[in-house]
Amino acid sequence: MAPPQTATPLAILSRFLSSPSPPPLPELLRVHALAVTSGLSPRPDLAAKLVSAYSTAGRPGLAALAFSATPRPDAFLWNSLIRAHHCASDFAAALAAHRRMFASGARPSRFTAPLAASAAAELGALGVGTSVHAYCVRCGLLDGDGGSVAVASSLVYMYARCGVVGDAVKVFEEMPERDVVAWTAVVSGCVRNGECAEGLRYLVEMVRLADDGGTKPNSRTMESGLEACGVLGELNSGRCLHGYVVKIGVGDSPLVTSALFSMYSKCHSTEDARILFPELLEKDVVSWTSLVGAYCRRGLIREAIESFQEMEESGMQPDEVLVSCLLAGLGNNGNVHGGKEFHAVITKRNFEDSVLTGNALISMYGKFELVDIACRVFRSLHQQDAESWNLMIVGYCKAGCDVKCLELYRELQFGDKDEFLCYASSLVSAISSCSRLEELRLGRSAHCYAIKHLLDDNLSVANVLIGMYGRSGKFDHACKISALAKLKGDVVTWNALICSYAHLGHSNFALSLYDQMLTGGLKPNLATLITAMSACANLAALERGEQIHSYVKEMGWESDVSISTALVDMYAKCGQLGIARKIFDSMLQRDVVAWNVMISGYGMHGEPKQALELFDEMERGSVKPNSVTFLAILSACCHSGFVEEGRKLFSRMGRYSLEPNLKHYACMVDILGKSGHLQEAEDMILAMPVEPDGGVWGTLLSACKVHADFEMGLRIAKKAFASDPENDGYYILMSNSYGSVKKWDEIEKLREMMKNHGVEKGVGWSAVDNCG
C-alpha cells in the first residue's frame, strides 16, 4: 500500500485562507510558522488573514508581527491591523497604525474611517477625528450607498463623544440614509452632552419613522432615551417609552431594565422603581443606592432603611455613598431618633472614618440643629476637607450659634488651612452672624475676604452684605453694593435693602424702594410683600396697605400663612379691626404668630374682652400659646385695668412650661401699679427669679407718683437710680414728687446727683425751676 501523501505548505495555507473561522491559537501559531519557513508570509492576503485571526484570539502583538512581514501592505491589510488594535482597546496604537497607513500612501476606505473615528472618539482626540472627517469628504466616503452610512454614523459618534454635539447633529442631519447606529449615536450623544430634550426629540422622531417602516430603535437607543427622561423628570414620557420597549421586544434587555429602574428612581416614582428592582439581573451597590435614594427623596425613611438591611442580608456591602445618601434622607426627614440609631450602626462598621460619611453626619445633625453632636463628629474626623469646615460653619449659623459660627470661621481663616477656601455659603453664614451680633468690624473683614477671592460678585454674598450694612445703619455701603447687585435683577437684593430700612424704622424709605422695584419691572415675592406691609403697618398707611392687599389677591397668595398674618397685622395697626378679624377667620391655617398678632391688635385698641375671648379660643385649639402670646394678652389687660384677669393669666404661664421674663414682670407690675396694688407690685419685683432692671423699677415708681405714695416712691426711686443712674425720667418723676410736697432741698440734691452721673436736665425740670 502506498504511503499517505503529506499536504504541501501551500495546500495547508490555502485551507487556512478559505476557512470561515480562525483555528485555535496553537494551530494558528503552526500555520504562521509554516508561512514564515515557506517564504509565503509576505503575501498580503495571508498576512491579513493572520492579523485578523490573532486579533480574534486577543493577541495584538502577534498580529503586528504578522503584519510587519509584508513590505508593501495594501489598504485591506492596514485595516486588519487597525482593527486588531481597536479590538484590543489599544486606541492609541490603532491611531498610530492609521497615521503610518497614510504615510505609506495607502488609500483609506469605508472600513478605515469608522475604525479611526471610533478610536479618536474613545481618546477624545477631536483633532484626529476632524482630519478623518476631512479625508472622508475629500475621498467621497460619505457619498453613495454601501458603507457611507457606517462612515457618517462613526463621525456622529466621534463628535458627540468629543463634546461637539452641534457638529454631530450637523453630520446626522446631512445623512441621506440613517441606520440604527446613526440614530443611537445622535440620541446618546445629545443626552451625554446635557442636551436631553434634543436627544428625546430625535428618539420620538425615530419611533415615528419606525412606525412607517423605518429603522427601529435598539436597546442602547432606548437606554439613552430613558436616561433623558430621568434627567428631565419626564415621568409621562418615560412611561410611554416603557410601553414602547415592551411593544418592540427589548423590554427584557438588562440594559433597558436598568435604564427603566434608573428613570423611575430619578422621576421619584418610587413604587415603579421598587417593582422593577427585582427584575435587575445584577443588583450592584449603585442600583441599591438608587433605590434607597428614591425612598429618601420621597421621605419614605422606613422603606429606605429596610432596603439597606435587605441589601446587607443579600451579602452586598454598602459603600460610603449609600450610607451618605441614607444620612441625607434622615436629615431631610427630621428623624432625630432614626439618625442617631443609624449613626451607631455605621460607627460599628467603621464608616465614620470616611470624610464623605463624616460630612453627611455633620450635615444631618446640622439639620437637626444638634450642633454640639455635629461638632464632635467634625473634631473626630481624621481628615477634614473644605466641605467639612463649611458644613459646620453653616450649621452653627442656622442654629443661631453666631459666636461659635464666627469662631470657627476665624479658625478656618487664620489657622493652618491655607488649602481650604470658604464656600460662598460659609461666607454668607459668617456675615449673617456678624449682622445679628452687630459685629460690623468682623463683617467688614469678611467683606474684604469676599473681594479678595472674587466672591463679592456672588448674589447671595452681596445680598447678605446689604443686609448687614443696612441693619448697621450704613446705608451708603448697602446702596453701593445693591446698585451693582441690582444689575442682575435679583428680587432678593431689593428685599435685603427694603428690609434693612424697615428694620431700623425707616418705613417711608422702605416703601419708596418698594415703589422703585415695581417701576423697574421686577415682581415682588412673598418676602417683599410681607416687609412692605410691615412698613405700612408702622406708618398706619392704610391706603398703601390696601394696594398691596389687592396685589396679593391678584397673585392668589392670600392662602399663605405669612402673608395673611402680615395683612392681619397691617389692618389691626391701621385701626381696621373688623377687616383684620375677617382675614384672620378666613385663614385655613393659623400658626402662633397669627394668633399673637390678632390678640395684640385687640389689646392695642382697648378691646380686652375680644382679646381674652380669642385667647380662650386659642387654648381650646391645637396651637399652644407662647411667651409672646402671654405678653400680648397681659398688655391688653394692662391697658384696660383688668387686674384679676391679669393675675390669672400670669399664673397660667406655668401650665405651658413658660418662664416669665422681664417684660412679663414689667407688664404685671404695670397692671398692679395702675390699679393701686403698689405693695403687691413691689413684692412681686422682690420675688422675681431674675434681676429687675431699671424699667421694672421705673414702672412702679411711676405708679407711686400717680397714687401719691411718697414714702414708697422714695424707696423705689433709690432702686431705680441704682439700676439705671443715667435715666433722666426717674429724676423728673422724683423732682415732681418732691415739688408736690415742697421739698426744695431734696430737688437740689437730685440736681447734684444728675451732675455726678452726667445726666442733662430734661424738659420736666422747667416747672420745678420756676417754682424755685
Side-chain angles (χ1 to χ4, degrees):
M1 186 173 68
Q5 293 182 346
T6 304
T8 63
L10 186 58
I12 294 172
L13 294 175
S14 295
R15 283 202 304 271
F16 168 67
L17 286 171
S18 61
S19 172
S21 58
L25 183 59
E27 187 178 339
L28 181 59
L29 291 171
R30 285 195 295 271
V31 171
H32 190 179
L34 181 61
V36 172
T37 56
S38 63
L40 297 174
S41 59
R43 281 179 51 174
D45 59 340
L46 183 59
K49 184 72 173 180
L50 285 168
V51 168
S52 178
Y54 279 131
S55 173
T56 304
R59 304 298 290 269
L62 292 174
L65 181 64
F67 172 86
S68 65
T70 304
R72 288 183 299 279
D74 58 9
F76 183 76
L77 183 54
W78 278 110
N79 289 342
S80 298
L81 179 64
I82 295 170
R83 181 179 178 279
H85 289 306
H86 193 284
C87 289
S89 298
D90 192 349
F91 304 113
L95 291 183
H98 180 253
R99 285 195 299 272
R100 297 204 314 274
M101 177 183 180
F102 263 83
S104 73
R107 182 182 175 85
S109 68
R110 287 174 176 170
F111 297 101
T112 316
L115 291 168
S118 176
E122 298 302 329
L123 294 173
L126 180 61
V128 176
T130 53
S131 69
V132 172
H133 189 180
Y135 78 63
C136 287
V137 174
R138 188 172 63 251
C139 299
L141 300 181
L142 293 169
D143 301 327
D145 300 326
S148 63
V149 176
V151 174
S153 298
S154 68
L155 291 173
V156 173
Y157 175 75
M158 180 274 298
Y159 280 122
R161 192 65 185 266
C162 291
V164 193
V165 70
D167 288 344
V169 168
K170 188 175 180 181
V171 173
F172 178 81
E173 293 291 353
E174 292 174 353
M175 292 177 68
E177 191 179 340
R178 301 157 181 165
D179 61 2
V180 68
V181 178
W183 282 102
T184 302
V186 75
V187 172
S188 63
C190 287
V191 174
R192 185 184 295 115
N193 287 281
E195 300 289 341
C196 294
E198 190 70 1
L200 205 53
R201 185 182 70 79
Y202 276 115
L203 178 58
V204 171
E205 184 182 349
M206 183 185 185
V207 170
R208 181 177 58 80
L209 293 173
D211 292 338
D212 295 333
T215 304
K216 288 184 179 180
N218 60 17
S219 57
R220 290 203 174 275
T221 325
M222 298 309 299
E223 178 191 23
S224 296
L226 290 166
E227 183 182 346
C229 292
V231 172
L232 295 171
E234 287 283 351
L235 180 60
N236 290 334
S237 298
R239 291 191 192 281
C240 290
L241 291 184
H242 190 175
Y244 186 75
V245 298
V246 173
K247 177 183 175 182
I248 62 175
V250 297
D252 293 334
S253 164
L255 278 176
V256 173
T257 304
S258 180
L260 281 167
F261 170 73
S262 177
M263 180 273 295
Y264 282 125
S265 298
K266 290 176 181 176
C267 291
H268 310 307
S269 184
T270 314
E271 186 60 26
D272 289 308
R274 186 192 63 78
I275 292 170
L276 272 171
F277 188 72
E279 297 182 23
L280 297 177
L281 291 182
E282 293 186 9
K283 299 180 180 69
D284 56 8
V285 178
V286 176
S287 57
W288 280 105
T289 303
S290 297
L291 182 64
V292 170
Y295 281 133
C296 288
R297 284 191 295 273
R298 289 286 305 277
L300 304 173
I301 299 302
R302 182 175 59 82
E303 290 82 352
I305 293 173
E306 286 175 356
S307 297
F308 177 83
Q309 293 169 341
E310 186 182 343
M311 181 196 69
E312 288 196 310
E313 289 168 3
S314 71
M316 183 77 65
Q317 289 300 313
D319 64 2
E320 57 186 15
V321 177
L322 193 153
V323 170
S324 301
C325 179
L326 191 46
L327 286 169
L330 289 162
N332 293 333
N333 195 252
N335 191 331
V336 179
H337 181 70
K340 288 181 175 180
E341 278 191 342
F342 191 62
H343 185 181
V345 170
I346 62 178
T347 300
K348 291 178 182 177
R349 313 280 174 84
N350 295 321
F351 277 112
E352 197 175 14
D353 293 336
S354 159
V355 177
L356 183 63
T357 305
N359 289 347
L361 282 166
I362 295 169
S363 176
M364 180 187 74
Y365 283 119
K367 290 170 184 174
F368 296 159
E369 294 193 4
L370 298 175
V371 286
D372 291 338
I373 302 177
C375 186
R376 286 202 297 271
V377 174
F378 172 75
R379 295 299 181 188
S380 68
L381 287 176
H382 298 303
Q383 184 182 2
Q384 298 157 338
D385 61 5
E387 180 76 9
S388 313
W389 285 88
N390 286 284
L391 280 170
M392 201 63 239
I393 290 169
V394 172
Y396 273 135
C397 178
K398 286 185 175 178
C401 303
D402 295 315
V403 173
K404 289 184 177 180
C405 172
L406 292 179
E407 286 175 352
L408 197 63
Y409 170 77
R410 288 170 66 85
E411 186 180 344
L412 174 61
Q413 294 297 301
F414 301 112
D416 186 21
K417 307 288 182 301
D418 294 336
E419 72 274 22
F420 295 154
L421 286 176
C422 264
Y423 293 170
S425 57
S426 284
L427 202 55
V428 167
S429 297
I431 296 169
S432 296
S433 292
C434 290
S435 180
R436 289 196 291 261
L437 293 172
E438 298 182 1
E439 286 285 352
L440 186 59
R441 184 179 60 83
L442 284 176
R444 282 175 169 161
S445 173
H447 188 181
C448 291
Y449 179 91
I451 294 171
K452 179 181 177 182
H453 294 282
L454 306 179
L455 288 171
D456 58 320
D457 193 44
N458 181 286
L459 267 178
S460 296
V461 174
N463 292 338
V464 77
L465 282 169
I466 292 167
M468 179 190 73
Y469 285 121
R471 285 173 174 266
S472 302
K474 306 291 183 183
F475 290 110
D476 52 341
H477 291 70
C479 289
K480 284 178 183 176
I481 299 169
S482 66
L484 296 173
K486 277 190 284 189
L487 295 175
K488 301 182 181 179
D490 182 24
V491 66
V492 181
T493 304
W494 285 92
N495 289 351
L497 197 57
I498 293 170
C499 189
S500 297
Y501 276 107
H503 177 73
L504 292 179
H506 302 298
S507 299
N508 277 318
F509 285 106
L511 288 176
S512 176
L513 279 172
Y514 172 76
D515 291 337
Q516 289 178 40
M517 177 182 171
L518 295 180
T519 305
L522 199 61
K523 287 187 177 181
N525 61 14
L526 294 175
T528 324
L529 295 171
I530 289 168
T531 305
M533 280 191 282
S534 175
C536 292
N538 293 335
L539 293 170
L542 179 60
E543 187 176 346
R544 293 300 307 275
E546 288 174 335
Q547 290 172 359
I548 297 172
H549 190 183
S550 297
Y551 183 82
V552 168
K553 288 180 181 177
E554 182 183 332
M555 298 303 293
W557 289 340
E558 278 187 298
S559 59
D560 182 85
V561 176
S562 300
I563 283 284
S564 296
T565 302
L567 283 168
V568 171
D569 185 49
M570 184 270 294
Y571 279 115
K573 287 179 178 175
C574 290
Q576 302 296 315
L577 285 176
I579 299 175
R581 183 58 188 264
K582 187 177 180 182
I583 295 171
F584 177 81
D585 289 338
S586 68
M587 291 175 68
L588 299 177
Q589 281 185 306
R590 301 173 194 148
D591 58 10
V592 68
V593 180
W595 286 95
N596 293 349
V597 164
M598 195 65 243
I599 291 170
S600 179
Y602 279 129
M604 72 174 67
H605 288 289
E607 300 284 355
K609 289 184 179 179
Q610 286 86 339
L612 288 167
E613 287 173 3
L614 196 62
F615 180 81
D616 290 339
E617 184 183 338
M618 180 183 184
E619 284 194 305
R620 291 193 298 271
S622 58
V623 179
K624 290 183 178 181
N626 60 14
S627 59
V628 178
T629 318
F630 278 98
L631 187 61
I633 193 66
L634 286 172
S635 296
C637 294
C638 180
H639 294 154
S640 305
F642 282 27
V643 181
E644 193 56 40
E645 289 82 354
R647 288 189 182 115
K648 290 177 181 178
L649 287 166
F650 187 78
S651 63
R652 207 184 300 180
M653 290 182 69
R655 185 189 301 176
Y656 298 98
S657 302
L658 296 173
E659 290 290 334
N661 58 31
L662 278 172
K663 291 182 179 179
H664 295 100
Y665 279 107
C667 205
M668 274 307 298
V669 168
D670 200 12
I671 291 173
L672 295 170
K674 283 179 178 177
S675 60
H677 298 80
L678 300 179
Q679 190 58 54
E680 185 181 347
E682 183 181 9
D683 292 342
M684 174 174 280
I685 295 174
L686 295 174
M688 281 170 52
V690 291
E691 185 71 25
D693 63 358
V696 176
W697 290 116
T699 300
L700 183 54
L701 179 60
S702 178
C704 292
K705 170 69 173 58
V706 170
H707 292 283
D709 193 333
F710 183 71
E711 295 300 324
M712 179 179 278
L714 287 177
R715 188 169 68 250
I716 300 303
K718 291 177 183 178
K719 293 177 180 178
F721 291 145
S723 297
D724 190 3
E726 297 178 2
N727 191 321
D728 64 339
Y730 304 151
Y731 295 95
I732 292 170
L733 282 171
M734 284 309 301
S735 68
N736 288 337
S737 296
Y738 282 130
S740 64
V741 292
K742 301 184 187 309
K743 292 197 174 185
W744 315 120
D745 293 340
E746 297 299 329
I747 294 176
E748 287 300 325
K749 290 179 182 178
L750 281 175
R751 286 181 176 144
E752 287 299 319
M753 285 177 63
M754 290 180 69
K755 288 179 183 177
N756 293 336
H757 290 104
V759 181
E760 295 184 2
K761 287 200 299 183
V763 177
W765 285 90
S766 57
V768 179
D769 287 339
N770 291 335
C771 291

